């Protein structure tokens, strides 16, 4: 454990901004949130920064490296100027862990983590034929431009893309349907659980001025489809998925306990940083052992608590990443978090806002506010990619005696050791198979576009198959809810489009 106050990392300042007028780009949001964090910490910290870490943004790709632009804007010369390679959800928590390690090692004294996304501004400007792009176009640029994020994180080249598994909304339902079956839930029970969790997030967002949607939603408003809550991909509706149509920025400042005290910051304004853990799942969906659980997530959550000498009973609060319902559902089961307790301090990615990779900066800022007000200890869990990257950390209003820095937070080897064997893929198989998992895709008018099944052959190989919109009986079986499709039988056959097609038995 660290006993030298100069080597104990703490959070001292947080700042958030919502630009509902659509006047700011991503860099301006970062500037504003960093200035707010500086004021929250008492002022004078920007000029003292040793490290500035920026979460990569996609709204204005022409901005390039925003970390370098922030340094220029503020006229500062921190030793470390960095930006995440991809705009993925674990980045703010990983940067927090890195900053804590650097402070613990005596390499730096003051760090900031900051990010911003102005997707609404970009969408507006593309409509006006100015710079930027519409939200759909921007997500595509993220796939093609920002280091090839989609192809890198999903392996969505060729085979997966051929079967419509490209975007996050395509892929997360594979986990939702597989976990529902594994937990023995009916479709109605699984949707009801989502409704309770998401309604709880809306309650938090309704009372958080930093959230994007400040309105409570009852469970039925989450789980019942209507004109404002259209189906996206089965079984997800619009209010169950991340809301990226936002203009939001957030920042938080990390320093040593000694530096904070020297600046006269009161103890009740100081939030202590605990130890973190990270683990990952293979990028390519077809190289994952299963979709009913995530060894990387389980290791990340379990080992974070263990390293900080805690159990779930020691936690007053949690932030469980909520891009899609399957993630907090799996996470809360891993740590034993009750269904009726809030899973967020910010409001979740639907109601708080889903600024691509920077959501957890808002979660950190809102959790700091909550811990200052109520006192307690929180677990922050971040997810990135397509259920690919997992990173968690503990923060507390009280000192964390088990915390020791620097430390190695990479637990990927343990996660790899827990994973089961990975099935081979048979891209040409025709014949009987069973459903491992599946989803159905919808058009904007709510009609079915098509479906995709991941099946298992009698030999245990994986096979992907397309379900055309004309296969009404199979689609009705997959979405009907009266019988669980996962584990049921069907047949693959070669369609006229050159893809394998699935027919339910």
């Amino acid at each position: 454990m660290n006993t030298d106050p100069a080597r104990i990392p703490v959070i001292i300042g947080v700042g958030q901004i919502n630009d509902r007028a659509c006047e700011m780009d991503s860099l301006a949001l970062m500037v504003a949130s960093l200035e707010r964090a500086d004021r929250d910490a008492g002022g004078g910290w920007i000029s003292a920064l040793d490290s500035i870490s920026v979460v990569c943004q996609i709204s204005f790709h022409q901005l390039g490296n925003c970390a370098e632009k922030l340094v220029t804007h503020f006229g500062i010369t921190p030793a470390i100027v960095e930006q995440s390679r991809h705009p993925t959800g674990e980045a703010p928590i990983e940067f927090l862990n890195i900053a804590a390690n650097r402070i613990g090692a005596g390499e730096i004294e003051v760090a900031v983590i900051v990010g911003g996304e102005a997707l609404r501004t970009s969408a507006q400007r593309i409509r006006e034929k100015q710079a930027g792009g519409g939200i759909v176009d921007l997500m595509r640029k993220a796939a093609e431009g920002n280091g090839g994020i989609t192809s890198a994180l999903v392996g969505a080249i060729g085979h997966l893309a051929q079967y419509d598994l490209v975007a996050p909304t395509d892929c997360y339902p594979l986990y939702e349907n597989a976990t529902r079956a594994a937990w023995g839930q009916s479709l109605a029970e699984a949707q009801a659980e989502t409704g309770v969790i998401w309604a709880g997030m809306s309650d938090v967002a309704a009372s958080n001025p930093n959230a994007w949607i400040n309105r409570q939603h009852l469970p039925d408003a989450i789980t019942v489809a209507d004109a404002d809550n259209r189906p996206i991909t089965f079984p997800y509706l619009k209010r169950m998925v991340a809301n990226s149509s936002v203009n939001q920025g957030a920042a938080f400042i990390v320093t040593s306990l000694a530096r904070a005290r020297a600046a006269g910051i009161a103890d009740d304004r100081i939030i202590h940083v605990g130890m973190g853990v990270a683990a990952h799942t293979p990028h390519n969906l077809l190289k994952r052992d299963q979709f009913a659980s995530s060894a990387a997530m389980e290791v990340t959550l379990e080992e974070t608590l263990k390293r900080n000498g805690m159990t779930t009973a020691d936690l007053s609060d949690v932030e469980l990443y909520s891009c899609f319902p399957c993630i907090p559902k799996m996470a809360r089961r891993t740590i034993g978090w009750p269904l009726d307790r809030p899973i967020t301090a910010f409001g979740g990615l639907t109601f708080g806002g889903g600024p691509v990779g920077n959501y957890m900066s808002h979660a950190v800022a809102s959790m700091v506010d909550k811990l200052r007000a109520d006192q307690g200890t929180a677990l922050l869990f971040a997810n990135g990619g397509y259920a690919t990257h997992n990173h968690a950390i503990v923060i507390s209003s009280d000192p964390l005696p088990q915390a020791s820095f620097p430390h190695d937070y990479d637990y990927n080897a343990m996660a790899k050791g827990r994973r089961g064997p990975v099935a081979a893929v048979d891209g040409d198989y025709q014949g009987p198979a069973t459903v491992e998992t599946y989803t159905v895709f919808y058009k904007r008018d709510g009609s079915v576009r098509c479906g995709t099944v991941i099946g298992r052959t009698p030999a245990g190989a994986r096979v992907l198959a397309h379900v055309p919109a004309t296969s009404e009986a199979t689609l009705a079986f997959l979405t009907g809810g009266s019988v669980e499709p996962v584990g049921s039988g069907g047949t693959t056959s070669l369609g006229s489009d050159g893809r394998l097609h699935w027919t339910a038995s």
Side-chain angles (χ1 to χ4, degrees), residues 258-471:
R259 186 72 175 262
R261 286 175 172 167
I265 297 177
D267 284 349
D268 63 2
R269 301 281 298 171
I270 292 172
I271 299 299
H272 294 259
V273 180
M275 301 169 74
V277 169
H280 313 279
T281 299
H283 297 310
N284 191 323
L285 288 171
L286 296 179
K287 294 188 180 297
R288 300 182 183 185
D289 61 330
Q290 59 170 306
F291 301 99
S293 66
S294 167
M297 179 191 293
E298 292 167 358
V299 164
T300 297
L301 290 166
E302 292 168 0
E303 294 301 317
T304 297
L305 290 175
K306 187 182 297 184
R307 295 196 80 183
N308 288 283
M310 295 177 179
T311 67
T312 302
D314 297 310
L315 301 174
S316 60
D317 301 277
V318 298
E319 182 75 47
L320 303 181
Y321 204 81
S322 54
C323 51
F324 297 89
C326 59
I327 297 300
K329 285 181 177 182
M330 289 192 288
R332 79 171 193 86
R333 282 171 170 79
T334 299
I335 65 172
W337 193 255
L339 178 60
D340 61 353
R341 294 186 66 183
I343 66 159
T344 179
F346 180 49
L349 279 97
T350 301
F351 308 108
V356 195
N358 199 47
Y359 173 84
M360 289 303 294
S361 293
H362 292 272
V364 169
S366 290
M367 191 65 77
V368 165
D369 288 338
K370 191 173 192 307
L371 294 178
R372 283 171 172 173
D374 300 338
Q375 303 296 289
T377 299
L379 172 72
L380 304 172
F381 168 64
N383 166 257
Y386 294 63
T388 308
H389 305 292
N390 302 270
H391 209 124
I393 202 165
V394 165
I395 62 174
S396 180
S397 58
D398 299 314
L400 295 165
Q402 295 294 319
S404 181
F405 301 95
H407 71 103
D408 183 2
Y409 57 78
D410 185 352
Y411 273 59
N412 207 43
M414 180 182 289
K416 185 176 180 180
R418 282 202 195 180
R419 290 198 292 268
V422 177
V425 177
D426 190 338
D428 301 314
Y429 175 81
Q430 298 184 63
T434 58
V435 177
E436 181 179 9
T437 189
Y438 69 99
T439 191
V440 173
F441 310 99
Y442 297 89
K443 301 176 183 177
R444 292 192 67 84
D445 64 4
S447 63
V448 172
R449 177 166 61 85
C450 64
T452 296
V453 170
I454 297 181
R456 289 295 188 102
T457 72
R462 272 192 178 130
V463 58
L464 268 66
H466 173 71
V467 184
T470 54
S471 298

Side-chain angles (χ1 to χ4, degrees), residues 16 99 113 115 125 159 168 225 238 267 270 277 295 381 435 468 476 479 484:
Q16 301 185 67
I113 292 88
R125 291 186 184 181
H159 199 55
K238 182 180 178 181
D267 284 349
I270 292 172
V277 169
F381 168 64
V435 177
T479 61
E484 176 53 63

Side-chain angles (χ1 to χ4, degrees), residues 141-157:
K141 285 175 182 175
E144 298 171 353
N146 277 299
I149 182 171
T150 297
S151 59
L153 296 178
V154 191
I157 304 172

Side-chain angles (χ1 to χ4, degrees), residues 4 68 75 189 239 247 262 284 286 389 415 464:
D4 180 359
E68 295 174 354
E189 289 168 339
R239 292 195 183 108
N247 281 11
N284 191 323
L286 296 179
H389 305 292
L464 268 66

